[in-house]
Amino acid sequence: NYPRPQLRRDQYTTLDGFWDYGFSINPTIDDYDGKILVPFPPESQKSGVERILLPGNYLHYRRTFHLIKHAHQRLLLHFEAVDAYCEVFLNGCFVGKHDGGYLPFSFDITNEIVEGENEIKVVVQDDTDYGNHARGKQRLHHGGMYYTPVSGIWQTVWYEWVDEQYVTDVFFKPDLQKQGVHIEVSTIGDLEDVEVIIHRPDSHDITTFTIPVCKRAFIALKDIQLWTPDQPYLYNVELIYGNDHVESYFGMRTFSRVEIKGQQYMALNGKPIFH
């Protein structure tokens, strides 16, 4: 499946699979300990390692991949999650760092790649409950209500080619009162507008709009179909920005709080829903 379903392009390449790995007390390493199956963390059985990354130590990753350069396009390297702090190197060049184990992040590696074989290295630190970053219920000495720690790459690593001008993000906010949806599209490039095409999956209705980039726009919808757990209806969306073409989706639903006979309830689309 496409790793980022709400902003899909036609092609992508996953770097999941076997990487070299090594544990060290130093930020650099000469020899690796063996193979790890990405994106499973080293503490897990499926990774093939089953070893905890201790506070103050480093976990090193390395693999190579083959590329054919695309003229007039940029190459984006995506990490869906790495716990907790990491630095990324491509062909010996530092390309970026990230702090925080839960959020995806990306780097533009166009200037660092070469035709043919490329080498990527990732250096990770994770102090688990000895650090000051968000860690959920992880503890080095787990048990009871606390979980086994998770470190390193624990979600998909992948890359994709994009045009020089491309969509970077899209935000949807359903508005049941106004019978429509607010849309904001973020981009890189100097084009001022983006074309939005909305498809209804249960009919042949196609609605096309042109909206300004990086500004909230409202699009009215006819005969709205609500999203619920029993009927998870989704509107399909295409975004066209220059030569960049991406697909997305949204559901028409709102969350709120309602009071019934003096009791407060969570509500979906204005109606109480049991969690």
Side-chain angles (χ1 to χ4, degrees):
N1 294 328
Y2 196 91
R4 188 188 54 210
Q6 206 162 27
L7 199 67
R8 303 186 305 274
R9 293 186 173 89
D10 289 338
Q11 295 181 341
Y12 76 100
T13 301
T14 179
L15 293 177
D16 291 348
F18 286 103
W19 294 47
D20 297 323
Y21 85 91
F23 288 84
S24 172
I25 60 173
N26 300 313
T28 59
I29 192 173
D30 296 322
D31 298 316
Y32 289 81
D33 299 331
K35 297 289 185 180
I36 184 171
L37 182 58
V38 170
F40 299 104
E43 293 85 357
S44 70
Q45 287 184 337
K46 285 191 174 182
S47 71
V49 177
E50 295 187 74
R51 179 176 171 182
I52 292 175
L53 176 60
L54 297 175
N57 287 6
Y58 298 86
L59 171 59
H60 301 264
Y61 291 85
R62 179 184 67 182
R63 71 156 291 167
T64 59
F65 59 98
H66 192 272
L67 275 180
I68 298 175
K69 282 192 172 184
H70 294 195
H72 309 298
Q73 286 195 315
R74 312 294 298 178
L75 185 63
L76 304 181
L77 175 64
H78 301 282
F79 293 83
E80 291 303 302
V82 180
D83 195 9
Y85 172 81
C86 74
E87 295 183 354
V88 180
F89 302 84
L90 190 76
N91 297 324
C93 300
F94 174 75
V95 295
K97 60 184 179 181
H98 185 262
D99 195 358
Y102 295 95
L103 296 178
F105 56 96
S106 303
F107 302 117
D108 186 329
I109 58 173
T110 311
N111 296 332
E112 287 78 26
I113 59 173
V114 296
E115 190 83 17
E117 188 172 89
N118 291 261
E119 181 188 64
I120 180 174
K121 291 183 178 180
V122 181
V123 183
V124 177
Q125 287 179 286
D126 185 11
D127 293 335
T128 311
D129 51 317
Y130 285 74
N132 59 5
H133 55 267
R135 58 182 172 85
K137 292 166 67 177
Q138 299 179 69
R139 283 184 61 173
L140 287 174
H141 305 288
H142 56 279
M145 65 174 284
Y146 295 103
Y147 303 147
T148 305
V150 166
S151 303
I153 300 171
W154 66 281
Q155 294 288 334
T156 295
V157 184
W158 58 290
Y159 66 80
E160 64 179 343
W161 291 96
V162 297
D163 285 285
E164 295 282 353
Q165 303 188 104
Y166 62 96
V167 174
T168 58
D169 199 9
V170 59
F171 173 78
F172 300 104
K173 184 180 180 181
D175 192 328
L176 299 190
Q177 257 190 338
K178 292 185 177 181
Q179 295 287 287
V181 61
H182 300 271
I183 299 180
E184 184 174 345
V185 180
S186 301
T187 63
I188 287 180
D190 55 14
L191 301 177
E192 296 182 352
D193 298 317
V194 58
E195 185 177 356
V196 180
I197 304 172
I198 298 178
H199 303 257
R200 295 183 67 117
D202 57 351
S203 72
H204 297 292
D205 290 348
I206 298 177
T207 310
T208 302
F209 303 86
T210 299
I211 65 173
V213 300
C214 299
K215 292 183 179 179
R216 190 75 59 90
F218 177 76
I219 295 178
L221 301 172
K222 296 179 181 179
D223 303 321
I224 285 179
Q225 178 72 45
L226 298 180
W227 183 98
T228 69
D230 295 327
Q231 293 183 318
Y233 188 97
L234 296 176
Y235 289 79
N236 297 320
V237 181
E238 295 179 60
L239 304 172
I240 301 174
Y241 182 69
N243 293 323
D244 191 29
H245 182 281
V246 298
E247 297 179 355
S248 189
Y249 64 90
F250 65 87
M252 290 299 295
R253 83 288 181 275
T254 60
F255 301 102
S256 61
R257 184 178 62 182
V258 298
E259 183 174 319
I260 302 176
K261 296 181 180 180
Q263 295 292 323
Q264 298 285 339
Y265 295 89
M266 292 293 294
L268 174 67
N269 302 331
K271 298 179 180 180
I273 183 170
F274 179 74
H275 284 241

